[in-house]
Amino acid sequence: MLLHTIKEVREQIHKWRKDELTVGLVPTMGALHAGHMSLIKKAKETCDRVVVSDFVNPIQFGPSEDFDKYPRTLDEDVKLCEKEGVDIVFAPSANEMYGEGQKLSNDNLTYVCPPFFYVNTLCGKSRTGHFDGVCTVVLKLFNIVQPDFAFFGQKDAQQVIIIKKMVRDLNVPITIVQCPIVREESGLALSSRNQYLTENGRQDALVLSKILHNIKSCYKRGITEVNALKETAYNFLTNKHDLEYLEIVDKNTLEDKIKADNESIALIACRVEGVRLIDNIYLGEE
Ligand code: PAF
């Protein structure tokens, strides 16, 4: 069922709680693809009832980012969710989430602000305020739905690490479940932003997964110096690629490493045809 208001969601959840049913939440910004569907499948396996939120959250986009053009495909999303047996699709308006006519800035709204290091490294370097916006909306969704489990994709590895930290630090009684990246056969990690790419752009975008898989195979062959591993990327990059970062860090804390080990994750952000794409890979076992 498609619901637009917090009140309707709360009423439904209340009924489920009375019946002692477990609830899973899959937070999304819509434009659902097979990556989201894998989260929904996992939620269906884990919980009695599943809520998918479908909300393009204005406060996690910077002023020069793609909030206005971000794909909005609610009708298709609802059909996909129905097919998968989702119990509620929660698609609120910005007014419903943040209050009628609220000025969406941190001099007016209570924000969740994770520690500086977590939100200002990697993607946070170029996306000031992004993770504060993500944590704020995610905590609001947690408070509205009060799920037992919430499901996030490893594709946004930094996001999951930060959300786990928020949940720990604020004693939020929800288990965070991280699900593996879903890739096309070509290796391209699924993302709602892939639809901005032309056919040539999609080919050029394969460089992200190629660089990461090559780093992992170099690591498996015994190269552990992070600088040496990072340098292997230059064999793949061309003038079609605008590399924003390539880092190898601790997979739980995001701290830099000099030597890679089985606890390391390699992460990349790169623009192709002006579209900002991210990807990552664990160097140890998944
Ligand atoms: O990963 C996303 O799609 C968003 O950042 C999330 C978690 C739904 C919050 O808006």
Side-chain angles (χ1 to χ4, degrees):
M1 98 188 74
L2 173 62
L3 300 179
H4 296 288
T5 67
I6 295 168
K7 185 167 176 284
E8 289 168 313
V9 172
R10 287 211 164 120
E11 279 168 6
Q12 188 54 53
I13 304 276
H14 185 68
K15 287 184 196 148
W16 293 341
R17 288 297 179 202
K18 269 176 122 177
D19 294 340
E20 297 188 2
L21 298 171
T22 57
V23 178
L25 171 67
V26 183
T28 82
M29 297 205 299
L32 301 184
H33 52 62
H36 297 110
M37 299 328 283
S38 75
L39 303 180
I40 292 172
K41 284 197 180 97
K42 182 75 184 167
K44 287 286 296 175
E45 281 164 30
T46 316
C47 308
D48 298 320
R49 295 289 179 268
V50 173
V51 179
V52 172
S53 63
D54 191 315
F55 177 61
V56 185
N57 173 34
I59 68 165
Q60 70 187 72
F61 289 79
S64 58
E65 294 185 10
D66 56 346
F67 174 68
D68 288 332
K69 78 164 193 182
Y70 196 85
R72 287 160 172 86
T73 58
L74 183 59
D75 292 347
E76 286 90 334
D77 295 347
V78 171
K79 279 187 203 134
L80 285 171
C81 285
E82 274 170 2
K83 223 166 111 197
E84 219 46 68
V86 168
D87 300 281
I88 294 178
V89 177
F90 174 45
S93 64
N95 280 345
E96 179 68 13
M97 282 301 275
Y98 292 110
E100 195 86 29
Q102 271 262 57
K103 196 170 140 245
L104 301 182
S105 67
N106 54 4
D107 55 9
N108 193 51
L109 201 71
T110 304
Y111 269 69
V112 179
C113 302
F116 183 88
F117 168 72
Y118 284 79
V119 299
N120 284 289
T121 184
L122 303 167
C123 289
K125 279 190 183 154
S126 68
R127 305 194 73 188
T128 311
H130 169 69
F131 291 110
D132 296 354
V134 169
C135 284
T136 303
V137 81
V138 167
L139 189 63
K140 283 166 74 71
L141 291 166
F142 285 176
N143 285 334
I144 293 164
V145 177
Q146 301 191 3
D148 302 283
F149 297 86
F151 299 81
F152 295 88
Q154 187 208 316
K155 162 85 177 1
D156 297 301
Q158 185 176 10
Q159 169 171 282
V160 191
I161 290 169
I162 291 174
I163 288 170
K164 282 186 179 159
K165 170 104 181 111
M166 171 183 82
V167 161
R168 248 192 339 269
D169 289 352
L170 300 181
N171 305 97
V172 182
I174 295 172
T175 303
I176 303 301
V177 182
Q178 176 176 310
C179 303
I181 298 178
V182 179
R183 298 180 181 281
E184 290 182 356
E185 229 173 279
S186 64
L188 183 66
L190 296 191
S191 160
S192 304
R193 290 189 169 99
N194 290 350
Q195 50 185 285
Y196 298 149
L197 296 168
T198 65
E199 217 23 70
N200 284 340
R202 291 178 84 85
Q203 288 303 312
D204 295 329
L206 298 183
V207 91
L208 281 85
S209 57
K210 283 185 184 157
I211 286 173
L212 294 173
H213 282 105
N214 183 58
I215 286 180
K216 182 160 178 163
S217 70
C218 290
Y219 170 71
K220 291 278 180 215
R221 289 203 306 274
I223 305 176
T224 58
E225 295 287 338
V226 162
N227 282 340
L229 288 168
K230 280 164 65 171
E231 267 167 31
T232 63
Y234 292 102
N235 300 326
F236 296 89
L237 293 167
T238 70
N239 59 3
K240 305 270 181 51
H241 307 112
D242 182 5
L243 181 68
E244 186 181 301
Y245 67 74
L246 171 64
E247 299 294 350
I248 297 171
V249 301
D250 185 277
K251 70 175 185 187
N252 298 310
T253 64
L254 299 176
E255 272 156 14
D256 283 336
K257 299 229 175 206
I258 295 172
K259 274 182 185 280
D261 58 28
N262 285 343
E263 294 301 296
S264 302
I265 181 172
L267 307 101
I268 188 167
C270 183
R271 278 181 193 275
V272 174
E273 295 181 327
V275 180
R276 189 174 179 282
L277 302 170
I278 58 171
D279 198 352
N280 66 78
I281 200 165
Y282 289 135
L283 299 193
E285 294 320 309
E286 305 266 305

